[in-house]
Each structure stands twice: as structure tokens, then as C-alpha cells.
Amino acid sequence: MPLSKTALNQVIRPVTARVNPLGNWDIGSCDLAELVKTYGSPLYVLDEASIQSACRAYLQALREHYPGPSEVLYASKALCNLAVNRLIHEEGLTTEVVSGGELFTVLKAGIPAESVTFQGNNKSFEELRYALKEGVGRFVVDNLDELDLLSTLAEEIGISPNVMLRVAPGIEAHTHAFIRTGEIDSKFGLDLPSQLDEAIRRISRRPLLRFLGLHAHVGSQIFDVEPFVATVEVLLDLCAKLERDYGLPVAELDVGGGLGIAYEAGDDPPSIDAAIEAISLAMIRGTSQRGLSLPKLIVEPGRSIVGTAGATVYTVGSRKAIPEVRTYVAVDGGMPDNPRVVTYGARYSVDRVAAGDNEELVTLAGKCCESGDILIKDIQLPKLKAGDHLVVWDTGAYCFSMASNYNRLPRPAMVLVAEGHSEVIRERETFADMVSRDRLPSRLGGQR
Ligand code: LLP
């Protein structure tokens, strides 16, 4: 059955978002004003149905468009906690981690280590040993140093890890365009062609390492299919080269993540289905042109799995109107719970939880002692007063995972909502948490 034309990553609100008969915004049939009453403010709300819908869209698109084997890795850096990892695993995705902390979380969530892929450009000795001992399914080796470290550790432990090699394909994806760069300036991946050749030579001398294939990831919040197609082309050229030069078949190709989502009206990323279709076609055409068999196709989305599912509910506090300049309305969170605005100039959409007609132009400010702590500049909203609630959409990806305690603001709770039911999946931090790891030295009165 074809997917609907508008996919989750092309809309601004979760699939279950609607205005209820009381006139308030609901997610998962839970009234956001009620949620804040129960769980406090600010509050991250996560829609289970939206996550499921995104996972299913990827799996269905691959079934429909790619005749070979395939796998969807959830890039857990986008949002990593027990419930989210577990939910996505149960939807049939496997998991990508980039640190010992993410690996620990994923294993605690009950996800088998064999279904985990370990990424990252500077995995430490301890992280690699931990991952090897746990039996992690794949190591995406980023550089020659890591290859040596991994093989030494594998020999010590007596384990045969599965290895993919990450290459720097010379493709840079921006939100609305991409470029092929002649010279490659990136901290990620093996430089082509010499470091890849060297890695293959080293692997051939280390029989414990099981070479599976190649990996590339060219960016995030991508709004075109072209960078993905270009990545496939580069990777397939390398597959042909490895077969020709070393007689080495490439069983798996990982084309990375990065598909964008709509944050504002007018944002127009390709749908999950369209992106997978373009990648699949490039794989089918490219392998046949080069006389290669179809490798396993791996994609590793993060944002497009959890981004649209998440929203942050805030409570309005103070207001400052500067005549003929601007009206600031401050909320009870900001850059600590959503660092994307100040970090990337990211833009978001917002609604008053008690839905209403737009009446005034305001700028939503956070509560941090920093002028840059602005959530949304110049936005039309219904008239706001202290105590009103606002919902900022699309905060599921890279907000909680990049959140801080700046100004010692405790990180908000996160609730998972589905069919009228809500449950805390991450407790709100407390003031006591803020000092729990502080220590007074003894000369200032601390206990030894
Ligand atoms: N695979 C690799 C190797 C990656 O580095 C990333 C993201 C992904 C997959 C998932 O990409 P996604 O589908 O989520 O775009 N903090 C930034 C985004 C950084 C992305 C880093 N890598 C933001 O908030 O926009």
C-alpha cells in the first residue's frame, strides 16, 4: 500500500496533535494543559504514535523500493533514553550509538548488543573494550588509529568484531543544497583513496577483523535527495574498486542518516518514502552498471524518527513591551532545554495550548541570563498572559540530548503519550540533583 503523500517528516505537528473540544492542543489524546498540571513545566511530550509511524515509514519504504536486504539503524544521539530506544527497537529498527554512555543506555533498555552499531571518530580504549566485551554487532571504524586499537583489543579478548569502514566521500550536504568538494576537510572518515587502501591492507593482516562494508554520512537536516544519491555513487565506486583491487566483496553499504524534517511552514524536505526510493534506485542502477550484486542497504536516521514526535510545553511568565520596538514574552525554559536555537539559529513553530486566533507579534524569550536566549523571534500568537501555556513543536530530536543545566535549571521531565495515557519516561531533575555531584573541599568545610 503506498504511503500517504505527506509523511511525518513533512508536517510540523505530531500525527496525533489536534485541538480538543475544550479548545486546547492535545497530543496522543492528552490535553497539554492537563499534562503540565500533572507533571510540571516545562515539559517534554513525546508522541508514541509519531515515532511508530516514522519507523514504519522507513521499513515500508525499504520493503517497497529496495529488493535486497536492508536495515534501519536508529541514530540514538537524536534522543537517547531507555523508553525511546526500547520503543524503536520494538518497531524493528536496530540501534546506532556513538559513546559508552549511549551504549550503556541501549543495553539497559534491553536491546541485544548484536543489534547495536558503534560509530564515532574517537572511540576510547575503554569504550572499545566495553563494546567488544558486550558483543556489539558492528564497529564503524572511522580512522586508522581506531582500526589498530580495535584489532589489538579484539586479539586480547579473543573476539572477531564485524567492521565497517567510514569514508569521507567529499560530499557536503547543506539544508537546501549540496556540494562535491575536491579536497576533503572533515574530522570524520577515512580520506580517499589512500587511507581506505591502507585500512584494507591492515584488515587483511588482521584475520580476526571481519570486514562487512563501507559507511558514509554527509550531514543532517538535508532537504534534497541528491546528496544521498551522490553518496551512493561514491560508495559504489569504492565497492567496485575493492572487488577489483583486492577481490573483496562488500556485503553492506551504510549511507548514513540526515533526512530533514519540517520545523516551519514552507519547509519542504522529501518524504521518508521519496528519500528511500531515490537511494534504492541509485543502488539498483549503480550496482547493475558496475556489475556488482546488491549489498545490504543500511540507513541511520535520527531526527526523522523522533523529531516531529516531540514537543515542549512551557508556561508564560513575564512580559516586556518596548513601544515601537518589540514585545518580549518570557517562558520558564529556553536554551538549556532547547540549545538548538542559540547553537544553530534553528527555527521552530509554536502554538498557545489554549488555541486561539493570532493577535499580536511577540518574541519568545527564555529565562537564562543571556540575551541570546531567545526561543522564537517575531512570531504572531494569540494574546498571552502569565500562566498561559505554549507548545513548541518538533523538539524531539537533539533538544533533550543536547540539554544542559545552564543557570542550574533542572532538565524538564519527559512524558510519553499514547491514546489518552501518559507516563513519565524521564523524571524532572531537582535542585538537589543540581548539587548532587558537587563537593566542598575539606578546607571549606566539606566532609572528608
Ligand atoms: N549517522 C551519523 C554518523 C551521524 O553523525 C548522524 C548525526 C546521524 C546518523 C543521524 O543524523 P539525523 O538523521 O539525525 O540527521 N545536533 C545537530 C545534529 C547533529 C547530527 C549529528 N550526526 C542538530 O541539532 O541539528
Side-chain angles (χ1 to χ4, degrees):
M1 200 183 69
L3 290 158
S4 77
K5 275 283 164 244
T6 313
L8 183 67
N9 68 317
Q10 298 177 304
V11 298
I12 285 164
R13 300 186 184 87
V15 285
T16 64
R18 55 188 52 95
V19 176
N20 65 29
L22 294 175
N24 289 338
W25 278 99
D26 263 4
I27 304 179
S29 301
C30 293
D31 185 318
L32 296 182
E34 286 299 317
L35 288 181
V36 167
K37 223 183 266 171
T38 310
Y39 301 107
S41 173
L43 184 67
Y44 292 118
V45 180
L46 200 61
D47 182 35
E48 187 169 327
S50 293
I51 295 180
Q52 287 167 334
S53 149
C55 293
R56 291 170 195 178
Y58 270 101
L59 295 172
Q60 185 175 336
L62 280 163
R63 269 197 304 273
E64 228 168 80
H65 300 299
Y66 193 67
S70 61
E71 184 172 333
V72 185
L73 295 179
Y74 168 56
S76 72
K77 75 198 78 171
L79 178 56
C80 189
N81 59 43
L82 297 179
V84 168
N85 283 310
R86 179 82 210 173
L87 175 64
I88 293 171
H89 171 73
E90 294 200 348
E91 283 299 313
L93 273 58
T94 51
T95 317
E96 184 226 84
V97 300
V98 295
S99 70
E102 284 187 357
L103 175 58
F104 184 80
T105 309
V106 162
L107 296 177
K108 277 274 172 211
I111 293 173
E114 314 86 80
S115 71
V116 176
T117 297
F118 197 3
Q119 281 272 3
N121 71 310
N122 189 24
K123 305 173 189 80
S124 71
F125 178 88
E126 289 76 18
E127 285 175 322
L128 284 174
R129 189 169 51 192
Y130 171 43
L132 282 166
K133 286 197 159 165
E134 292 292 341
V136 158
R138 266 192 214 102
F139 291 81
V140 179
V141 170
D142 208 271
N143 53 65
L144 296 170
D145 289 335
E146 182 189 338
L147 195 59
D148 292 342
L149 193 55
L150 184 69
S151 51
T152 306
L153 274 166
E155 275 157 29
E156 235 172 75
I157 300 170
I159 273 180
S160 271
N162 294 318
V163 169
M164 296 188 83
L165 295 175
R166 178 168 181 171
V167 298
I171 295 162
E172 245 185 87
H174 303 289
T175 299
H176 293 283
F178 83 102
I179 45 170
R180 298 277 306 260
T181 47
E183 113 223 279
I184 297 153
D185 184 0
S186 163
K187 71 169 180 172
F188 296 109
L190 298 162
D191 197 27
L192 294 173
S194 62
Q195 289 180 349
L196 177 62
D197 281 321
E198 179 56 24
I200 297 292
R201 281 194 288 272
R202 290 189 198 184
I203 286 177
S204 66
R205 292 199 296 268
R206 303 280 201 159
L208 269 186
L209 301 183
R210 278 202 289 252
F211 175 72
L212 288 185
L214 300 173
H215 170 283
H217 169 83
V218 294
S220 196
Q221 186 60 354
I222 296 173
F223 271 37
D224 296 309
V225 295
E226 283 77 9
F228 296 115
V229 170
T231 305
V232 168
E233 288 291 320
V234 172
L235 289 176
L236 289 178
D237 278 345
L238 295 174
C239 292
K241 172 187 154 61
L242 295 190
E243 281 217 17
R244 189 185 62 232
D245 296 355
Y246 303 97
L248 192 63
V250 174
E252 301 188 347
L253 271 199
D254 183 335
V255 300
L259 179 63
I261 66 168
Y263 285 96
E264 290 188 295
D267 284 354
D268 189 24
S271 67
I272 292 171
D273 185 65
I276 292 296
E277 183 177 21
I279 292 168
S280 301
L281 285 174
M283 290 283 289
I284 295 163
R285 199 183 47 229
T287 46
S288 117
Q289 279 166 354
R290 294 166 179 86
L292 299 165
S293 49
L294 275 183
K296 182 178 207 180
L297 170 60
I298 303 173
V299 291
E300 41 182 44
R303 189 190 314 267
S304 51
I305 298 289
V306 292
T308 317
T312 311
V313 187
Y314 298 98
T315 303
V316 170
S318 61
R319 159 190 288 264
K320 174 183 176 184
I322 313 167
E324 270 145 67
V325 177
R326 199 182 300 286
T327 297
Y328 289 96
V329 172
V331 298
D332 53 352
M335 63 188 278
D337 62 75
N338 184 349
R340 295 194 67 256
V341 179
V342 78
T343 312
Y344 312 113
R347 296 163 67 98
Y348 285 86
S349 301
V350 60
D351 280 300
R352 190 174 70 181
V353 168
D357 293 333
N358 292 338
E359 285 170 58
E360 60 172 348
L361 184 71
V362 297
T363 284
L364 293 181
K367 69 176 269 127
C368 282
C369 289
E370 176 145 341
S371 298
D373 179 24
I374 299 294
L375 270 175
I376 304 178
K377 209 170 169 188
D378 295 335
I379 179 99
Q380 288 284 350
L381 278 170
K383 191 93 184 141
L384 297 173
K385 58 178 188 330
D388 283 350
H389 302 303
L390 291 170
V391 51
V392 173
W393 305 104
D394 298 302
T395 59
Y398 302 111
C399 285
F400 171 76
S401 62
M402 292 171 64
S404 76
N405 293 121
Y406 186 42
N407 287 185
R408 290 241 141 166
L409 296 189
R411 271 175 282 219
M414 183 177 292
V415 294
L416 186 67
V417 294
E419 295 172 358
H421 180 74
S422 62
E423 205 165 331
V424 173
I425 58 169
R426 164 91 189 181
E427 293 282 349
R428 182 178 303 281
E429 289 175 352
T430 63
F431 291 157
D433 289 331
M434 297 302 97
V435 295
S436 65
R437 286 175 185 275
D438 291 359
R439 299 291 178 263
L440 269 179
S442 50
R443 81 180 169 77
L444 296 179
Q447 307 281 323
R448 268 186 188 276

